Amino acid sequence: MEAISKRFFMFLSHNKALDKMAKRWGSKFGANNLVGGETFLQAIPLITQLNEEGFQVTVDHLGEFVDSTEVVRENVQGCIQSISAIAYHGLNTEISVKLTSLGLDISQDLVMENMELILSKANESGITVTLDMEDSSRCHAILDVYKKLRQKYDNVGTVIQSYLYVSDKDVDDLNQFSPYLRLVKGAYNESGKVAFQEKKKVDENLKHLIKKQLLNGHYTAIASHDEAIIDYTIGLVKEHNIPNDRFEFQMLYGMRNQLQSELLKKGYTVRIYLPYGEDWFGYFMRRLAERPANIAFALKGIFSK
């Protein structure tokens, strides 16, 4: 039943008609429990609250797979405006960007030009920008962009997904760039040709990547709600005397709130991944697919209106 539920919500996440309807609804039906708002300005009070509680934040403007240069330009300007707002309000937050929203599928020259603009602006205020990872067909295009940018900018990181077979080699290839990596399991529906299908193997590979990245001496973000992964990381850093300022735990806004607070109280850096934007529907459906218990958020949203 859980597998059927996952396939159902993944199917909905790609439904353009429903996505169009969702934009008219606004972030209702429980999405406001997982999304910071439809605009960055709407998210500012929530970011401020999270900062006051001791959490760091990374914000992500929702939207991907853009094939219109006009929409790309709008996304770039929106990102730059968000960076200006972060600096103006003194928020403790980074920015995550999806390269397909910034022109990756149009041309590499375009996405490089846009990332240069964004990173230059972010660098002025000491803001880090992370290149989100997308589906496997775009994985190495994203890493190629990262490598080029990393030669010029220190304030850029990227993401490695443990369910992909190539991730171990990718971490080795990135080692020369002293990378800031967010390590995740992966959320796209990938085939057995490119990705592990068994949870046990995905988890084992994530642990392997965490150990490799940390022992390589590079800053590491462990993005997982899985307590087994978190406990493994805590044991690893204690065993190898890795200081707490060399890693952080990242979790999605609205998920495992108690665990987030417990880690914060123990002195660990906890960063909340806070998405915002009108294109909330696909993101929301993927979260429901990952964890059917999240359906309760949707029901609560409907009946609280």
Side-chain angles (χ1 to χ4, degrees):
M1 180 62 69
E2 183 173 335
I4 294 173
S5 175
K6 181 174 182 177
R7 288 195 296 270
F8 174 68
F9 285 112
M10 287 300 292
F11 167 76
L12 293 182
S13 73
H14 296 291
N15 190 297
K16 292 183 178 180
L18 290 176
D19 181 66
K20 186 175 181 180
M21 290 175 59
K23 289 179 180 178
R24 293 202 299 267
W25 297 336
S27 51
K28 301 176 182 179
F29 304 110
N32 55 359
N33 292 294
L34 299 173
V35 176
E38 293 178 45
T39 67
F40 184 78
L41 291 179
Q42 290 177 355
I44 288 176
L46 182 53
I47 297 169
T48 301
Q49 178 186 335
L50 290 168
N51 286 167
E52 290 174 350
E53 293 173 359
F55 296 104
Q56 298 184 29
V57 176
T58 187
V59 294
D60 175 24
H61 183 225
L62 293 168
E64 54 192 328
F65 310 134
V66 175
D67 57 8
S68 162
T69 54
E70 181 180 354
V71 175
V72 166
R73 284 196 294 270
E74 292 174 357
N75 289 339
V76 173
Q77 288 306 307
C79 191
I80 290 174
Q81 290 168 8
S82 297
I83 290 169
S84 296
I86 290 169
Y88 178 81
H89 292 279
L91 302 173
N92 187 350
T93 182
E94 298 178 352
I95 287 184
S96 289
V97 296
K98 288 184 172 61
L99 293 189
T100 55
S101 75
L102 302 174
L104 182 68
D105 288 353
I106 299 173
S107 80
Q108 188 170 97
D109 287 342
L110 178 62
V111 77
M112 285 295 298
E113 176 185 339
N114 291 333
M115 282 307 306
E116 290 262 6
L117 290 172
I118 290 168
L119 284 170
S120 295
K121 182 66 176 178
N123 195 46
E124 293 173 4
S125 302
I127 296 170
T128 297
V129 179
T130 299
L131 310 185
D132 272 348
M133 191 49 65
E134 304 185 51
D135 64 284
S136 62
S137 68
R138 297 172 174 86
C139 176
H140 285 130
I142 293 169
L143 293 182
D144 286 344
V145 171
Y146 171 76
K147 291 172 184 177
K148 292 177 181 177
L149 293 171
R150 186 66 182 85
Q151 295 177 46
K152 184 176 179 180
Y153 297 96
D154 292 329
N155 61 322
V156 60
T158 191
V159 179
I160 295 292
Q161 302 171 111
S162 72
Y163 67 173
L164 295 180
Y165 301 143
V166 300
S167 291
D168 186 39
K169 182 179 183 299
D170 288 338
V171 171
D172 288 339
D173 290 343
L174 291 172
N175 186 46
Q176 62 181 305
F177 298 95
S178 300
Y180 162 30
L181 296 181
R182 178 195 299 154
L183 302 179
V184 304
K185 294 184 182 182
Y188 290 89
N189 188 22
E190 303 284 4
S191 76
K193 294 181 180 179
V194 299
F196 296 109
Q197 301 298 298
E198 300 85 2
K199 180 181 182 299
K200 180 180 179 181
K201 290 185 178 180
V202 176
D203 292 353
E204 288 174 349
N205 200 37
L206 180 55
K207 291 177 181 178
H208 170 72
L209 298 177
I210 290 169
K211 184 175 183 177
K212 175 173 286 192
Q213 171 74 355
L214 284 171
L215 295 187
N216 280 344
H218 310 314
Y219 194 83
T220 307
I222 298 91
S224 177
H225 307 101
D226 189 331
E227 291 185 58
I229 297 297
I230 292 168
D231 289 343
Y232 169 80
T233 303
I234 291 173
L236 181 69
V237 299
K238 289 180 177 178
E239 178 185 355
H240 294 278
N241 297 313
I242 297 171
N244 285 1
D245 62 3
R246 199 185 295 168
F247 69 96
E248 64 185 47
F249 294 108
Q250 293 189 3
M251 298 189 191
L252 300 174
Y253 169 65
M255 296 183 64
R256 303 305 303 272
N257 294 344
Q258 183 176 346
L259 179 57
Q260 294 172 8
S261 297
E262 289 173 355
L263 289 169
L264 195 65
K265 289 177 182 177
K266 291 178 180 178
Y268 297 110
T269 299
V270 180
R271 186 177 303 278
I272 307 302
Y273 185 93
L274 180 67
Y276 70 95
E278 293 183 351
D279 290 326
W280 58 269
F281 181 77
Y283 173 84
F284 186 40
M285 290 300 106
R286 287 195 294 271
R287 298 295 80 77
L288 296 183
E290 288 173 0
R291 191 165 180 261
N294 288 335
I295 296 171
F297 285 120
L299 295 176
K300 181 179 179 181
I302 292 171
F303 292 112
S304 65
K305 296 297 179 182

